[in-house]
Amino acid sequence: MKNSGLRHILEARQFTPEFMEKIFAEASSLREEVENGNYHGLFKTARELENRGMFILFYEPSTRTRFSFSDAAQRLGMRVTSTEDAKIFSSVAKGETLEDTIQVLCEYYPDVIVLRHHETGAAMRAAKVSSVPIINAGDGIGEHPTQALLDIYTIQQCLGRIDDINIMMIGDLLNGRTVRSLAYLLAKYKGVKIIFCSPKELGMNQDIISYLQRKEIKVEVLDYFLQDIEDVDVIYQTRIQKERGSEIDDELEKKFALVPEKVKKLNQNAIIMHPLPRNNEISTEIDFNPRARYFRQAGNGMFIRMALLKWMLSPL
Ligand code: NCD
């Protein structure tokens, strides 16, 4: 790496529980400030990163990650330059490599580059040639570490703990990257049980299962929707990643979808999460169920990203 002292965010495994605790406390205090009307940047926190620059370089579509990073930066007083779809609107369309693009962008002295890319390992590659911190905002079917942070933060907020939880991850576990990063983070806590629940052909990769077993996390792998869910604390539903070649027929998709009658079996305090976007895997009637936390979960992303930017760009 050009400058190994840089605070890149590349993979979920890099976060320690102590670090997460600090970021979560910061995110909560930022939310409080924003909710108390500090949205014009009149108070101290807001302009702490004045005149720092963020480049958002996305080669894949995004709503939450792009908006929340962009707004997080602007609330902290940063300049933000963003490309809509780097595959079409950057020199990649002319054959430029990721490495060349990153090195050129670094010549404009941004303070951080947020990268989303269709190839697994792209953020690592970018970090090797970058002179500024890189944030991995999703690399193919690899990882999405900032999403995992906001997911863990949401669990902590809703349940008051991360230790000793039973979490059921449902859907496309093969080509979804959020479940991979979340599994890596959950492995840092005690007494966690993860139930992977997906159609056989979209099951969680063995590398994650072996990693969890080495970390003594209880793992159950099911190729049907578990009906006995009274002991589940967190349902983490995901969509089928069709753009990555995942395919299942409608009947099978329905079997793994959350509908009100399945949700009734959950205990009162259980929560339902989803990284979003959703397709048909959570029926919209569930949005009114008090256990549904996926919109709040998305909202948490902005505060987590503000907290991360403050940490990344503060003096070493
Ligand atoms: C996810 C992603 O891009 O991996 N979206 C997000 O950032 N919240 C999930 C998905 O696309 O299914």
Side-chain angles (χ1 to χ4, degrees), residues 229-233 263-270 291:
I229 51 176
E230 295 86 41
D231 295 334
V232 171
D233 301 298
V263 169
K264 267 193 221 141
K265 295 187 189 150
L266 280 170
N267 78 54
Q268 278 304 321
N269 301 322
R291 300 180 187 93

Side-chain angles (χ1 to χ4, degrees), residues 64-65 116 144 147 177-178 239 241 275-277:
R64 278 148 289 277
T65 309
R116 169 167 286 193
H144 195 348
Q147 175 74 39
R177 53 195 170 201
T178 68
R239 76 181 168 93
Q241 305 270 314
L276 302 177

Side-chain angles (χ1 to χ4, degrees), residues 172-184:
D172 188 349
L173 308 179
L174 178 68
N175 287 323
R177 53 195 170 201
T178 68
V179 283
R180 293 177 58 81
S181 288
L182 182 55
Y184 279 132

Side-chain angles (χ1 to χ4, degrees), residues 124-152:
M124 281 295 175
R125 278 168 48 208
K128 286 207 173 102
V129 298
S130 179
S131 54
V132 304
I134 299 287
I135 300 180
N136 180 4
D139 61 329
I141 60 167
E143 282 219 41
H144 195 348
T146 65
Q147 175 74 39
L149 265 189
L150 73 92
D151 291 342
I152 292 277

Side-chain angles (χ1 to χ4, degrees), residues 204-219:
M204 179 55 89
N205 223 309
Q206 191 55 43
D207 65 331
I208 295 282
I209 294 175
S210 306
Y211 179 85
L212 293 170
Q213 284 163 344
R214 283 200 301 280
K215 299 283 174 185
E216 292 175 7
I217 297 291
K218 283 177 241 127
V219 176

